[in-house]
Amino acid sequence: MFYGAVVWDPWLIVAQIACLQCLYYLTLGFFLSILVGTRVSRMSLVYFFDFVAVTTSTITGWCVVTSFLLSSIAGAGFMHYLIERAKKCLDFSATLYIIHLFICIIYGGWPSSLAWWIVNGIGLAVMALLGEYLCIRRELREIPITRYRSNI
């Protein structure tokens, strides 16, 4: 993928976006179930998509914030394997968070909490920058070249 001709494949891009979004929400659900599920009597989609749950005034709110930030770190790891290109990491991270914003608007209305915007802004920055760092490390690895010695 690194050294060939770049071909624009919209189906691949849509599949990568969908896969990254699904993996992000699976990871978020995992962290929410560990950090928040032990504190509340019933888990719901409120912790995923309602801006009211992202707060710094309660311990449960801090657990939600931590879950979102850990999911963005995991998302950078997913981009390392799914996207593989450093220059595409910001695009895919922004797309993920824009889709998340639309889902949040549909679910709970326009996010009016400053904490929600800060947490998601930091999550976007962490995912994009860490994803770029991991992808750059992959792109800058040496290409192994094996030498064959002739027995002539």
Side-chain angles (χ1 to χ4, degrees):
M1 182 168 185
F2 292 136
Y3 309 108
V6 177
V7 177
W8 187 70
D9 187 3
W11 291 109
L12 174 65
I13 295 169
V14 170
Q16 287 174 326
I17 290 170
C19 189
L20 188 63
Q21 197 83 31
C22 290
L23 287 171
Y24 175 78
Y25 285 130
L26 282 172
T27 307
L28 181 60
F30 173 74
F31 288 125
L32 283 173
S33 66
I34 290 174
L35 297 173
V36 177
T38 57
R39 303 193 54 80
V40 297
S41 61
R42 183 169 173 241
M43 285 292 293
S44 69
L45 290 178
V46 169
Y47 298 105
F48 282 88
F49 303 120
D50 199 350
F51 65 91
V52 177
V54 181
T55 181
T56 57
S57 61
T58 64
I59 300 294
T60 304
W62 276 104
C63 291
V64 173
V65 168
T66 305
S67 298
F68 272 95
L69 295 178
L70 289 174
S71 296
S72 68
I73 293 171
F78 297 143
M79 280 197 300
H80 177 248
Y81 290 105
L82 288 175
I83 310 305
E84 295 181 338
R85 298 297 304 259
K87 68 179 187 174
K88 294 181 180 181
C89 287
L90 178 61
D91 298 337
F92 279 91
S93 298
T95 303
L96 184 139
Y97 278 93
I98 289 170
I99 291 171
H100 179 68
L101 173 64
F102 286 145
I103 294 171
C104 290
I105 290 170
I106 291 168
Y107 187 83
W110 183 262
S112 60
S113 167
L114 182 63
W116 187 91
W117 288 101
I118 291 171
V119 167
N120 282 289
I122 290 172
L124 170 63
V126 165
M127 184 182 286
L129 293 174
L130 184 59
E132 283 183 16
Y133 172 74
L134 293 172
C135 290
I136 284 173
R137 283 189 54 209
R138 172 183 269 181
E139 290 174 2
L140 293 179
R141 280 193 300 202
E142 290 185 21
I143 302 170
I145 299 175
T146 56
R147 289 192 162 165
Y148 295 104
R149 295 176 67 187
S150 65
N151 294 331
I152 298 178

